[in-house]
Amino acid sequence: MGVASLKEKAIVLDEQAIRRALTRIAHQIIEKNKGIEHCVLIGIRTRGIYLANRLAERIQQIEGKAIQIGEIDITMYRDDLSKKTNDGEPLVKGSNIDVNITDKTVVLVDDVLFTGRTVRAALDALVDIGRPSQIQLAVLVDRGHRELPIRADFVGKNVPTSQSEKISVTLTEIDDIDQVSILEK
């Protein structure tokens, strides 16, 4: 079911609400970890990277110091690997983690938590890179319908949805607008 065939049912977060949710998550990350000394933010491609950057900005404003940040591409770790290039190969964009994550608290950042399969793939990818002391999960939206026993530590908004609905997260960095919508047939 393509996004083009769906219509907007409701806007659940506008620009201000997204900003507030990310500020709240930043405070929760700092509070839970008693600071950011041993923390690293890792954004899951694609929108998780932009959310991680925004969280890093807020954490720096709050704590007065920078938190390390990286990005991870989970394409090769997905159990539903889709082939997207002309030659039938998976489209891999690569990870960019310049920090040693071993013995650190890694906060994975993504836009939407749905079945849990993206997070499972990210966990596999992280363990191939290093061995964090702890992995936490921050998501802008949790829409339910989990297929794996995964839950977020930090949630911007819980948005119960039906299976026929889709959550659309748009961010100014790539979509020219900050908004979270529910789409339906």
Side-chain angles (χ1 to χ4, degrees):
M1 168 169 45
V3 176
S5 66
L6 300 174
K7 67 178 188 222
E8 188 173 86
K9 177 180 177 181
I11 295 172
V12 291
L13 293 173
D14 60 12
E15 183 178 352
Q16 248 185 339
I18 290 172
R19 192 175 326 109
R20 282 191 298 268
L22 291 175
T23 299
R24 186 175 62 254
I25 290 170
H27 280 282
Q28 290 172 343
I29 289 170
I30 294 164
E31 196 173 311
K32 180 172 183 157
N33 294 294
K34 297 175 178 53
I36 56 163
E37 304 309 312
H38 303 287
C39 294
V40 178
L41 294 177
I42 304 290
I44 300 174
R45 280 194 174 272
T46 295
R47 285 172 180 76
I49 297 162
Y50 301 112
L51 294 172
N53 286 328
R54 292 183 190 191
L55 282 170
E57 288 173 18
R58 281 167 181 75
I59 288 170
Q60 183 159 9
Q61 290 168 353
I62 297 163
E63 287 291 283
K65 52 186 147 183
I67 187 169
Q68 294 177 305
I69 191 165
E71 58 188 65
I72 196 158
D73 182 352
I74 58 153
T75 304
M76 298 305 293
Y77 294 88
R78 294 193 62 92
D79 58 6
D80 61 348
L81 186 63
S82 55
K83 298 184 179 188
K84 295 186 178 181
T85 61
N86 291 337
D87 61 0
E89 292 299 315
L91 182 60
V92 179
K93 296 179 182 168
S95 296
N96 181 13
I97 301 178
D98 295 331
V99 60
N100 181 359
I101 63 169
T102 299
D103 296 327
K104 299 275 175 99
T105 296
V106 170
V107 181
L108 273 175
V109 182
D110 204 7
D111 56 350
V112 178
L113 178 57
F114 181 31
T115 62
R117 294 187 180 280
T118 296
V119 175
R120 187 221 38 92
L123 293 171
D124 288 348
L126 276 177
V127 173
D128 278 355
I129 294 167
R131 190 177 188 297
S133 62
Q134 186 177 94
I135 300 173
Q136 299 169 357
L137 177 61
V139 297
L140 183 59
V141 176
D142 183 345
R143 65 170 287 194
H145 303 288
R146 217 73 76 241
E147 294 175 3
L148 299 171
I150 290 174
R151 71 167 175 77
D153 299 276
F154 314 105
V155 178
K157 185 166 182 74
N158 287 293
V159 181
T161 59
S162 72
Q163 288 283 9
S164 64
E165 295 172 325
K166 180 178 176 6
I167 293 287
S168 170
V169 175
T170 56
L171 300 175
T172 53
E173 293 89 340
I174 47 180
D175 306 302
D176 298 324
I177 187 171
D178 277 348
Q179 184 173 286
V180 177
S181 307
I182 297 176
L183 306 178
E184 67 179 355
K185 280 185 173 183

